[in-house]
Amino acid sequence: FWSLMTISGVFGFAIGYVTGLQIKVTSPLTHNISGTAKACAQTVLAVMYYQDVKTALWWLSNALVLGGSAAYTKVRHSEMQQQHQESKKALQEMKIEDGKGTQNGQIDKV
């Protein structure tokens, strides 16, 4: 009994720690959406595995959740790429302004 309780506690702590890391790197909204998508995907897979019969509305609602999560992921990915390109361009401009030359359009390694 106590060994199972200890193992459960360790896994619970690990999940909490990883959740904190995910929120630190992304955002609380992204964490929430990824958790919802994971739960939805698990539900759909379980229904398919156990061959449960569900209504068309049930399938539609799960498709909307997964589609919305995918759309959010695509938008966030494009936003992050744009921010990366802007940061990269600003860094290049700062190095040029500081008098550190470039060779063949490449930033000198520091």
Side-chain angles (χ1 to χ4, degrees):
F1 172 76
W2 287 108
S3 60
L4 290 176
M5 292 295 287
T6 302
I7 291 171
S8 297
V10 168
F11 280 119
F13 177 79
I15 288 171
Y17 184 74
V18 170
T19 297
L21 289 177
Q22 184 184 25
I23 291 172
K24 184 178 178 182
V25 173
T26 60
S27 72
L29 177 62
T30 301
H31 170 71
N32 194 340
I33 289 175
S34 69
T36 301
K38 177 187 70 92
C40 183
Q42 286 175 331
T43 301
V44 169
L45 288 173
V47 166
M48 291 170 55
Y49 180 78
Y50 290 110
Q51 300 176 350
D52 288 344
V53 177
K54 296 292 182 182
T55 65
L57 189 58
W58 185 91
W59 288 103
L60 176 64
S61 64
N62 282 289
L64 285 173
V65 169
L66 293 173
S69 298
Y72 176 81
T73 301
K74 183 176 171 74
V75 168
R76 285 291 295 156
H77 179 71
S78 64
E79 286 175 353
M80 290 175 71
Q81 279 186 325
Q82 183 179 5
Q83 286 177 343
H84 176 70
Q85 292 300 327
E86 289 172 0
S87 297
K88 192 173 168 182
K89 185 177 179 181
L91 181 62
Q92 286 177 343
E93 289 173 358
M94 285 190 328
K95 287 194 178 210
I96 291 171
E97 289 173 2
D98 287 344
K100 295 181 180 176
T102 61
Q103 297 175 354
N104 301 328
Q106 299 289 329
I107 295 178
D108 292 338
K109 302 246 183 211
V110 178

